[in-house]
Amino acid sequence: MYYGNIKEFSVENGTGVRVSFFVSGCRHGCKNCFSEKTWNFEYGKPYDRAAEDKIMDALKPDYMEGITILGGDPLEPENQAEVLGLIKRIRRELPEKNIWLFTGFVFEELIYDYSVNQKIGISKEVDARNTINFYEPLIKDEKSRANTEYIREILENIDVLIDGEFMEPLKNLNLKFRGSSNQRVIDVRKSLESGQAVTIEEFMN
């Protein structure tokens, strides 16, 4: 895995003062993505123990609320093993810190059991004015590439998931922690318990 940046003092990617860790590699191809250079899986530097230690050291001060992992997409299959390793180390050594993660995938496709159920995808209908007027899970045939052997454990060890691709027609600069209104700020623990996405309403207005 490669990474583009470790921002050791960040206030724009979640609540409080945080570390922002930008993972490289993304296949979503969102139009007018704010960090298109991070689509390349070899952008930046190789992720190694020194980079991980740097993140851990930056998280240690009491004023640091937590970490936000973004990209790129941390949940591309190539990134998941290293992302899980980092998350588990944070949980082990700094359990009081919260963990936010941004992804272009949606919560429903990440939790769906493809071995026993039908497959979930996303329906996007765009009207003549290029405005998306319909966006919800639906049944389709192909399995999400993000649904790997690591995904459940990643979700079980993070606090907040911001999901969904950035959609230019739904861009809104007034949104909290999101670029477009289809994206959701999800309480992961409540969502896993209920089996459906539970949003944090104070961040959805």
Side-chain angles (χ1 to χ4, degrees):
M1 184 174 79
Y2 281 66
Y3 70 97
N5 191 20
I6 299 170
K7 193 170 182 181
E8 298 180 56
F9 190 99
S10 172
V11 295
E12 67 275 11
N13 295 314
T15 57
V17 181
R18 321 181 60 77
V19 174
S20 288
F21 176 44
F22 294 83
V23 173
S24 297
C26 182
R27 296 185 179 89
H28 296 291
C30 302
K31 182 180 179 181
N32 291 327
C33 170
F34 82 100
S35 61
E36 187 173 336
K37 59 188 177 183
T38 65
W39 294 1
N40 184 339
F41 280 83
E42 295 184 352
Y43 171 75
K45 303 176 182 178
Y47 178 73
D48 56 16
R49 183 70 180 194
E52 187 173 287
D53 289 343
K54 182 178 181 180
I55 291 170
M56 298 301 295
D57 287 343
L59 278 172
K60 287 178 180 177
D62 291 341
Y63 62 80
M64 298 299 296
E65 183 171 319
I67 185 171
T68 300
I69 306 172
L70 61 170
D73 196 319
L75 298 187
E76 287 288 1
E78 295 89 335
N79 294 331
Q80 289 189 19
E82 296 282 12
V83 168
L84 177 58
L86 171 62
I87 289 169
K88 290 174 71 174
R89 185 178 175 191
I90 294 168
R91 285 289 177 232
R92 184 172 64 250
E93 298 181 19
L94 298 168
E96 73 279 9
K97 307 298 182 180
N98 62 52
I99 302 173
W100 289 41
L101 189 146
F102 282 74
T103 182
F105 301 100
V106 295
F107 180 77
E108 288 82 0
E109 66 184 310
L110 299 177
I111 66 166
Y112 212 76
D113 187 347
Y114 289 87
S115 65
V116 297
N117 294 305
Q118 298 184 74
K119 288 72 176 174
I120 282 188
I122 298 301
S123 174
K124 307 166 191 174
E125 292 186 1
V126 181
D127 67 18
R129 295 170 298 173
N130 198 37
T131 300
I132 295 171
N133 55 21
F134 182 81
Y135 185 93
E136 66 178 21
L138 83 165
I139 302 300
K140 70 173 189 177
D141 292 331
E142 57 188 73
K143 177 180 177 179
S144 170
R145 65 181 181 274
N147 198 280
T148 74
E149 67 268 31
Y150 303 110
I151 193 63
R152 185 75 186 191
E153 194 170 6
I154 290 174
L155 293 174
E156 288 173 348
N157 283 282
I158 65 175
D159 299 287
V160 176
L161 182 77
I162 295 87
D163 77 337
E165 296 179 358
F166 169 72
M167 294 186 175
E168 179 70 21
L170 300 182
K171 180 179 180 180
N172 184 340
L173 297 178
N174 294 319
L175 296 171
K176 294 179 180 178
F177 313 128
R178 299 175 292 150
S180 56
S181 59
N182 61 290
Q183 297 170 314
R184 299 172 296 182
V185 184
I186 294 171
D187 184 318
V188 181
R189 293 179 185 178
K190 288 182 179 179
S191 299
L192 291 176
E193 289 173 1
S194 68
Q196 59 185 8
V198 177
T199 56
I200 303 174
E201 290 308 307
E202 66 179 294
F203 302 140
M204 293 296 295
N205 300 322

